[in-house]
Amino acid sequence: MTLTETPDLFAIASRRERVVDWQAPGPVAGAAATLSGLQAMCAIRDGILPPPPMARLIGFRMAVVEPGRIVMELEPHESLENTIGLLHGATAAALLDTAMGCAISTQLPAGQGSVTLDLKLTYLRPLSVRSGTIAAEGKVIKLGRQTSYAEGFVRDGAGHLAVHSTATFSMIGEGPKAK
């Protein structure tokens, strides 16, 4: 079969639409800045603070918040697929970057945060809409004054390891002022 012999790939019956809404991140960031990282992560998990726009776009949620550990969950959907019917690798990258960064945040005081310096992922098995609930776990490996390190794992609905990650984060902000 050639492309000219295929059905109309742009047919209206094949079209999908997804509407995504989110809260403006500026006011949320302002409110979160008054909280410790652990308090802010718990507030997002508990629906007191809205999740970041990226979480709404991809559709993941914060499921577990512990000091030094975060678990994000995602019900995979076809809007995240690539042309071979698997979840795009950027989905796992976004989940892991978020989970690991948030894990570091759980150990930071109000006014301090972190930004990703590098992110390394090793894809071990493919993920798809048939994978079940996908869980991305981020754990702090070393919390430092200027640089921190985290490790992450993405598991499919059966608990099989699909992606392993490590990341380095630069610490930003000053935290509380000494009196």
Side-chain angles (χ1 to χ4, degrees):
M1 182 184 289
T2 67
L3 280 177
T4 57
E5 298 169 342
T6 60
D8 181 6
L9 299 175
F10 292 96
I12 291 178
S14 296
R15 189 171 298 159
R16 307 287 189 266
E17 182 176 293
R18 190 168 160 250
V19 176
V20 178
D21 65 346
W22 64 90
Q23 298 302 121
V28 178
T34 65
L35 305 172
S36 72
L38 183 62
Q39 291 170 323
M41 296 303 111
C42 287
I44 293 170
R45 179 201 61 203
D46 298 342
I48 297 165
L49 285 177
M54 178 61 82
R56 300 282 297 160
L57 178 65
I58 294 175
F60 61 86
R61 65 189 172 282
M62 194 170 301
V64 176
V65 176
E66 298 171 353
R69 180 175 174 265
I70 292 284
V71 177
M72 302 288 185
E73 290 183 342
L74 169 72
E75 298 299 331
H77 45 90
E78 72 176 359
S79 71
L80 300 173
E81 289 183 345
N82 57 28
T83 56
I84 60 173
L86 300 173
L87 292 189
H88 194 285
T91 304
L95 282 166
L96 285 163
D97 184 44
T98 304
M100 291 185 292
C102 289
I104 287 173
S105 291
T106 64
Q107 297 190 313
L108 299 179
Q112 192 173 26
S114 65
V115 294
T116 309
L117 288 174
D118 69 37
L119 177 66
K120 180 187 181 301
L121 292 98
T122 303
Y123 296 91
L124 304 168
R125 70 183 321 131
L127 295 166
S128 74
V129 296
R130 295 165 303 286
S131 294
T133 303
I134 293 168
E137 177 183 19
K139 292 181 177 182
V140 175
I141 300 300
K142 181 187 181 299
L143 187 68
R145 285 186 322 115
Q146 294 181 324
T147 308
S148 295
Y149 303 91
E151 183 176 32
F153 309 90
V154 171
R155 291 184 170 80
D156 65 16
H160 298 119
L161 183 62
V163 186
H164 175 257
S165 181
T166 57
T168 308
F169 293 84
S170 178
M171 308 311 290
I172 58 173
E174 298 180 23
K177 302 274 189 229
K179 293 185 178 185

